[in-house]
Short mmCIF file of all heavy atoms in Angstrom, two decimals:
data_model
loop_
_atom_site.label_atom_id
_atom_site.label_comp_id
_atom_site.label_asym_id
_atom_site.label_seq_id
_atom_site.Cartn_x
_atom_site.Cartn_y
_atom_site.Cartn_z
N THR A 72 -13.86 5.38 -3.98
CA THR A 72 -15.00 6.19 -3.37
C THR A 72 -16.17 6.21 -4.24
O THR A 72 -17.34 5.98 -3.81
CB THR A 72 -14.48 7.58 -2.79
OG1 THR A 72 -13.50 7.35 -1.94
CG2 THR A 72 -15.62 8.26 -2.20
N LEU A 75 -17.90 2.92 -4.41
CA LEU A 75 -18.70 2.57 -3.31
C LEU A 75 -20.00 3.51 -3.09
O LEU A 75 -21.05 3.05 -2.60
CB LEU A 75 -17.78 2.77 -2.05
CG LEU A 75 -16.65 1.67 -1.89
CD1 LEU A 75 -15.75 2.16 -0.65
CD2 LEU A 75 -17.32 0.36 -1.46
N ASP A 76 -19.82 4.67 -3.54
CA ASP A 76 -20.98 5.65 -3.49
C ASP A 76 -22.00 5.39 -4.60
O ASP A 76 -23.03 6.06 -4.58
CB ASP A 76 -20.56 7.13 -3.50
CG ASP A 76 -19.73 7.49 -2.25
OD1 ASP A 76 -19.90 6.74 -1.20
OD2 ASP A 76 -19.05 8.49 -2.24
N THR A 169 -15.18 2.53 13.47
CA THR A 169 -16.12 1.82 12.65
C THR A 169 -17.51 2.13 13.19
O THR A 169 -18.55 2.35 12.45
CB THR A 169 -15.90 0.39 12.65
OG1 THR A 169 -16.15 -0.20 13.99
CG2 THR A 169 -14.54 0.00 12.19
N GLN A 171 -18.55 4.92 14.78
CA GLN A 171 -18.94 6.30 14.52
C GLN A 171 -19.28 6.36 13.06
O GLN A 171 -20.23 7.08 12.66
CB GLN A 171 -17.62 7.15 14.76
CG GLN A 171 -17.89 8.73 14.53
CD GLN A 171 -16.79 9.60 14.88
OE1 GLN A 171 -15.73 9.01 15.39
NE2 GLN A 171 -16.89 10.78 14.63
N ALA A 172 -18.53 5.64 12.06
CA ALA A 172 -18.90 5.77 10.70
C ALA A 172 -20.16 5.15 10.45
O ALA A 172 -21.08 5.63 9.69
CB ALA A 172 -17.72 5.09 9.91
N ALA A 173 -20.50 4.02 11.13
CA ALA A 173 -21.82 3.38 11.05
C ALA A 173 -22.94 4.31 11.40
O ALA A 173 -24.03 4.30 10.93
CB ALA A 173 -21.80 2.00 11.70
N ALA A 174 -22.64 4.94 12.64
CA ALA A 174 -23.75 5.81 13.22
C ALA A 174 -24.05 6.91 12.18
O ALA A 174 -25.26 7.42 12.15
CB ALA A 174 -23.27 6.33 14.55
N CYS A 175 -23.11 7.39 11.46
CA CYS A 175 -23.37 8.42 10.45
C CYS A 175 -23.95 7.95 9.14
O CYS A 175 -24.31 8.71 8.27
CB CYS A 175 -22.06 9.14 10.12
SG CYS A 175 -21.35 10.02 11.55
N GLY A 176 -24.01 6.56 9.01
CA GLY A 176 -24.53 5.95 7.81
C GLY A 176 -23.70 6.23 6.71
O GLY A 176 -24.07 6.03 5.49
N ASP A 177 -22.37 6.43 6.82
CA ASP A 177 -21.36 6.70 5.79
C ASP A 177 -20.76 5.42 5.31
O ASP A 177 -19.80 4.86 5.98
CB ASP A 177 -20.30 7.72 6.31
CG ASP A 177 -19.37 8.23 5.15
OD1 ASP A 177 -19.20 7.50 4.13
OD2 ASP A 177 -18.78 9.35 5.31
N ARG A 178 -21.25 4.87 4.21
CA ARG A 178 -20.81 3.50 3.81
C ARG A 178 -19.29 3.50 3.38
O ARG A 178 -18.52 2.56 3.73
CB ARG A 178 -21.54 3.05 2.59
CG ARG A 178 -23.04 2.79 2.99
CD ARG A 178 -23.78 2.39 1.76
NE ARG A 178 -23.81 3.41 0.69
CZ ARG A 178 -24.19 3.30 -0.58
NH1 ARG A 178 -24.76 2.02 -0.94
NH2 ARG A 178 -24.33 4.33 -1.31
N THR A 179 -18.91 4.58 2.73
CA THR A 179 -17.46 4.72 2.33
C THR A 179 -16.52 4.70 3.58
O THR A 179 -15.56 4.00 3.53
CB THR A 179 -17.16 5.91 1.41
OG1 THR A 179 -18.10 5.81 0.23
CG2 THR A 179 -15.73 5.94 1.04
N ALA A 180 -16.84 5.61 4.47
CA ALA A 180 -16.10 5.78 5.67
C ALA A 180 -16.10 4.40 6.48
O ALA A 180 -15.07 4.02 7.06
CB ALA A 180 -16.50 6.89 6.57
N TYR A 181 -17.34 3.80 6.49
CA TYR A 181 -17.30 2.47 7.20
C TYR A 181 -16.43 1.42 6.63
O TYR A 181 -15.71 0.71 7.32
CB TYR A 181 -18.74 1.96 7.28
CG TYR A 181 -18.87 0.65 8.06
CD1 TYR A 181 -18.82 0.71 9.50
CD2 TYR A 181 -18.91 -0.58 7.34
CE1 TYR A 181 -18.79 -0.45 10.20
CE2 TYR A 181 -18.89 -1.72 8.09
CZ TYR A 181 -18.86 -1.78 9.49
OH TYR A 181 -18.90 -2.88 10.11
N ALA A 182 -16.42 1.27 5.31
CA ALA A 182 -15.71 0.38 4.61
C ALA A 182 -14.13 0.65 4.95
O ALA A 182 -13.39 -0.36 5.16
CB ALA A 182 -15.81 0.41 3.10
N GLU A 183 -13.75 1.90 4.89
CA GLU A 183 -12.31 2.20 5.18
C GLU A 183 -11.96 1.91 6.67
O GLU A 183 -10.93 1.28 6.88
CB GLU A 183 -12.09 3.72 4.89
CG GLU A 183 -12.20 4.13 3.41
CD GLU A 183 -12.15 5.59 3.25
OE1 GLU A 183 -12.16 6.34 4.23
OE2 GLU A 183 -12.01 6.05 2.01
N THR A 184 -12.76 2.27 7.69
CA THR A 184 -12.49 2.03 9.05
C THR A 184 -12.56 0.48 9.27
O THR A 184 -11.76 0.01 10.17
CB THR A 184 -13.43 2.80 10.00
OG1 THR A 184 -14.81 2.50 9.61
CG2 THR A 184 -13.18 4.28 9.79
N PRO A 223 -26.85 -1.26 2.69
CA PRO A 223 -27.13 -1.60 4.06
C PRO A 223 -27.70 -0.41 4.79
O PRO A 223 -27.25 0.82 4.68
CB PRO A 223 -25.73 -1.99 4.57
CG PRO A 223 -24.83 -1.32 3.76
CD PRO A 223 -25.35 -1.35 2.41
N ALA A 225 -28.34 1.94 8.29
CA ALA A 225 -27.45 2.40 9.32
C ALA A 225 -27.51 1.42 10.54
O ALA A 225 -26.59 1.14 11.18
CB ALA A 225 -27.92 3.78 9.75
N LEU A 228 -25.21 -1.60 9.73
CA LEU A 228 -23.83 -1.15 9.91
C LEU A 228 -23.46 -1.13 11.44
O LEU A 228 -22.30 -1.51 11.89
CB LEU A 228 -23.52 0.10 9.24
CG LEU A 228 -23.65 0.17 7.71
CD1 LEU A 228 -23.22 1.54 7.14
CD2 LEU A 228 -22.60 -0.88 7.13
#
Side-chain angles (χ1 to χ4, degrees):
T72 299
L75 287 171
D76 289 345
T169 66
Q171 182 177 358
C175 296
D177 189 334
R178 294 177 298 168
T179 301
Y181 180 78
E183 293 173 354
T184 55
L228 292 179

